[in-house]
Amino acid sequence: MKQLSENDAYENYYQFVGATKYRKPLFYDNEIRDRLSCIIADIFNKKEEIELVESTVAYNHIHVLVKTQVDPSKVGQLLFGASSRILRKEFPVLVEQIPKGLWGGKSFEPIVDKNHLDNCISYIRRHQPDNTKI
C-alpha cells in the first residue's frame, strides 16, 4: 500500500483511497455500493481502536477516513483485505469481471491539520458515485 505523505497525522486521522483493479467501474450497482458501505462500517465497528469518521463508495474507488493509533498499514490491510474477500464472496459477478483480487491501487495519507481534516470530511460527504476521479 502506498503512503502518500511522510507527515505526522493530525490527531491520528488518516484517509484511505482504494481503486478497483484496472479502474473498472465494478460498483455501478446500488446494491453492491450499499453493501460495500455496510462492510466498511462493520469492519471498523468491530475494532474499537479504529473509529470510522466518513466513507464513500464511487463506481471505481472508495474514500475512507478513520481516526486510529493503529499502524495505518495494518488498517489498510484490514480494510482492503476484508472488503475484497466479503464482497467477492457475496457478488460472484465481481470475480467474473476481475478474477484476481478486487483492489488495484491502494493508498493512505495522514491528515496534516484541522483544515485538511475539514476539507477531507467535506469532500467525502459530497462525493458522488459517478465521480470517477480520485
Side-chain angles (χ1 to χ4, degrees), residues 54-120:
E54 290 289 337
S55 69
T56 190
V57 179
Y59 289 168
N60 65 355
H61 68 282
I62 62 171
H63 293 271
V64 179
L65 177 65
V66 300
K67 181 175 184 175
T68 186
Q69 291 186 14
V70 174
D71 183 285
S73 63
K74 292 190 185 302
V75 175
Q77 288 174 340
L78 176 66
L79 169 63
F80 296 116
S83 62
S84 177
R85 186 176 56 255
I86 296 167
L87 204 60
R88 288 164 48 87
K89 183 178 179 182
E90 294 181 11
F91 295 93
V93 66
L94 297 175
V95 178
E96 292 170 16
Q97 293 181 33
I98 305 286
K100 295 185 178 181
L102 182 64
W103 301 110
K106 301 172 287 199
S107 63
F108 74 90
E109 99 176 289
I111 300 300
V112 297
D113 58 26
K114 175 79 167 101
N115 188 48
H116 187 194
L117 176 62
D118 292 343
N119 287 340
C120 184

Side-chain angles (χ1 to χ4, degrees), residues 21 28 31 34 43 48 50 68 70 74 127:
K21 196 167 279 211
Y28 55 87
E31 183 182 6
D34 290 346
I43 289 168
E48 63 184 46
I50 306 171
T68 186
V70 174
K74 292 190 185 302
H127 197 73

